[in-house]
């Protein structure tokens, strides 16, 4: 029997237009400014039509708590790598990075594949060897793809993504392959992490090679909310009615195709997949990019356990040649907005990017031009994250034969609405420390939201690991359910807004030095840091909050004292 976890199902997909209060229309227009040059990022993306765009990333590459920048396919195949100085300004770290020029770089996905606590970089190659850059610290990287067995020199590789397919704590790598290009007949690749620095391709054995499908984009997410990562594939040339997008359900590390059973079979020329819960029902909806016939919005209906095509009336068809797409709450009003990258059709000079303002009232409105993010050149890739640490989401956007854009969010509503951000620590000891695959469900003032920690989240690109929730007028989060891979749950409550919190699994609580038990020094530190019942802690003290109520009082001290006598806090009755 497959594991099931119960979640709030406040709305079905078809009930989107009623039943939820709408704050999105009440505020000021969205507003961004391109500050790449002013903040130290001067990088030109080269010709990238041959591989249908090259990837980029916002990720904390030096583990100092802010987002650094990686951009592929610069002049001569160079990489751009920039360190965030903590203020949202950047220092060029290309010299000494060890990231040599790469002919025809394709997709980018970032993960701690070797479980050493820092983030490594995978870059797929288009008919050239892929790269796996092991992070040595100090913005220095070593390519270990050949030793790892994932170089793939002869593949038309597209978007990569990471997930823990078999839940052993070692992250596995899936690579979309545009099968059929130049008569290439090989399928997609699923590299299972052997835990020793090497990988084994098990795509066929686990049922996800996708045969002759020309796959452009893939993503891991838990569509059925049962505690493991399922796999959704975006297939090119589906508008002809032959190929289609495909959903594979994860069954204990093996996969079963459930595409038709859950109505996920979009016949589109799919280049991008955005995943997010638009209607607050606890299940993930899908926005799929396409060519001129229009993008698709598939909403998951928990009542039928299937997707419904609700594109008609939504206003988000775009009707251009669309590539990367992402969901983000740019104005912190709780409603997810949609950003879409576009390129021009042959003979066309008009292909603006889209920014659809989130609302429960349809059709949604494209505010890209007025917001300052309606770039008119050919754009394939984008990533999102809070670059300057001010509590709103910024955008890193690619270009073709032009400079990369860093759009800083200046939206008035983003500054006045509340927000909360969570860094999640994994629950498998010192494996999967960035908690890839973990879902976080929150409720505040009667509204529910959900996010999942994912790697390789957009077309060929990687957005931040930190989970960002807009809260609107809510000044705190009432309830938090932290659902780890395998469905282990930790429950927390009363998280103050406008802070970035670290969420720990029970096995790490009270033990900042990570020796597996709570010692007297750790207990003393907690005693000296007590806030008292009902007085919230500040970021940095979360590891001592044993009962998860965001204060540090005698109840927490008592549980820590039990931990001194019992080497594992898993025995304390405060979680899995």
């Amino acid at each position: 029997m497959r594991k099931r976890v119960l979640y709030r199902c406040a709305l079905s997909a078809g009930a989107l237009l009623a039943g939820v209060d709408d704050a999105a229309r009440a505020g000021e227009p969205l507003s961004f400014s391109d500050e790449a040059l002013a903040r130290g990022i001067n990088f030109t993306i080269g010709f990238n039509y041959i591989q249908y765009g090259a990837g980029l990333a916002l990720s904390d590459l030096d583990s100092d708590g802010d987002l650094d920048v990686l951009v592929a396919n610069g002049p001569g195949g160079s990489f751009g790598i920039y360190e965030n100085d903590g203020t949202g300004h950047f220092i060029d770290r290309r010299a000494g990075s060890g990231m040599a020029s790469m002919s025809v770089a394709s997709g980018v996905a970032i993960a701690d594949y070797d479980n050493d606590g820092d983030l490594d970089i995978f870059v797929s190659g288009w008919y050239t060897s892929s790269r796996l850059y092991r992070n040595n610290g100090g913005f220095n990287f070593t390519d270990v793809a050949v030793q790892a067995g994932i170089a793939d020199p002869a593949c038309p590789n597209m978007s990569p993504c990471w997930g823990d397919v078999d839940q052993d704590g070692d992250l596995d790598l899936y690579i979309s392959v545009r099968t059929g290009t130049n008569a290439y007949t090989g399928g997609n690749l699923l590299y299972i992490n052997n835990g020793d620095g090497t990988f084994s391709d098990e795509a066929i054995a686990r049922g996800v090679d996708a045969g002759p499908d020309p796959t452009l984009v893939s993503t891991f997410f838990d569509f059925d909310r049962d505690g493991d990562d399922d796999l959704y594939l975006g297939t090119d040339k589906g508008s002809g009615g032959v190929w289609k997008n495909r959903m594979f359900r994860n069954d204990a590390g093996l996969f079963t195709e459930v595409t038709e059973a859950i109505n996920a079979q979009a016949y589109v020329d799919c280049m991008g997949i955005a995943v997010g819960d638009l209607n607050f029902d606890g299940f993930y909806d899908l926005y799929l990019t396409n060519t001129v016939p229009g993008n698709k919005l598939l909403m998951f209906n928990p009542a039928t356990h299937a997707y419904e095509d609700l594109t008609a009336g939504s206003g988000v068809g775009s009707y251009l040649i669309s590539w990367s797409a992402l969901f983000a709450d740019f104005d912190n009003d709780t409603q997810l907005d949609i950003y879409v990258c576009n390129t021009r059709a042959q003979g066309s000079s008009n292909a603006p990017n889209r920014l659809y303002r989130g609302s429960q009232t349809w059709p949604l409105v494209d505010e890209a031009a007025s917001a300052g993010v309606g770039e008119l050149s050919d754009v394939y890739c984008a990533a999102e994250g809070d670059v300057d640490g001010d509590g709103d989401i910024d955008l890193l956007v690619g270009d073709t034969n032009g400079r990369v854009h860093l759009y800083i969010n200046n939206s008035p509503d983003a500054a006045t609405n509340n927000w909360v951000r969570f860094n999640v620590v994994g629950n498998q000891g010192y494996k999967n420390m960035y908690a890839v695959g973990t879902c976080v469900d929150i409720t505040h003032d009667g509204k529910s939201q959900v996010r999942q920690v994912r790697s390789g989240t957009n077309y060929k690109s990687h957005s931040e690991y930190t989970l960002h929730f807009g809260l609107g007028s809510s000044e705190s989060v009432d309830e938090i359910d932290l659902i780890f891979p395998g469905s282990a749950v930790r429950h927390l409550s009363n998280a103050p807004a406008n802070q970035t919190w670290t969420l720990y699994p029970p096995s790490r609580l009270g033990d900042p030095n990570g020796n597996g038990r709570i010692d007297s020094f750790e207990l003393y530190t907690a005693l000296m840091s007590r806030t008292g019942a009902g007085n919230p802690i500040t970021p940095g003290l979360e590891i001592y909050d044993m009962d998860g109520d965001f204060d540090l009082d005698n109840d927490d001290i008592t549980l820590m004292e039990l931990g001194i006598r019992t080497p594992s806090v898993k025995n304390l009755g405060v979680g899995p």
Side-chain angles (χ1 to χ4, degrees), residues 34 44-45 47 50 102 164 266 271 288 322 346 352 361 406 457 467 486 535:
D34 185 359
T44 299
I45 298 174
F47 181 90
I50 188 173
M102 178 180 181
D164 189 1
M271 285 86 84
L288 313 173
S322 299
Q346 187 173 3
T361 303
L406 179 63
T457 47
L467 302 180
N535 297 311

Side-chain angles (χ1 to χ4, degrees), residues 317-337:
S318 188
Y319 307 107
L320 294 168
I321 300 176
S322 299
W323 297 86
S324 183
L326 55 87
F327 287 123
D329 185 359
F330 291 113
D331 51 5
N332 287 331
D333 69 345
T334 76
Q335 311 281 348
L336 289 177
D337 312 301

Side-chain angles (χ1 to χ4, degrees), residues 7 31 78 160 378:
Y7 298 92
S31 176
S78 62
D378 290 343

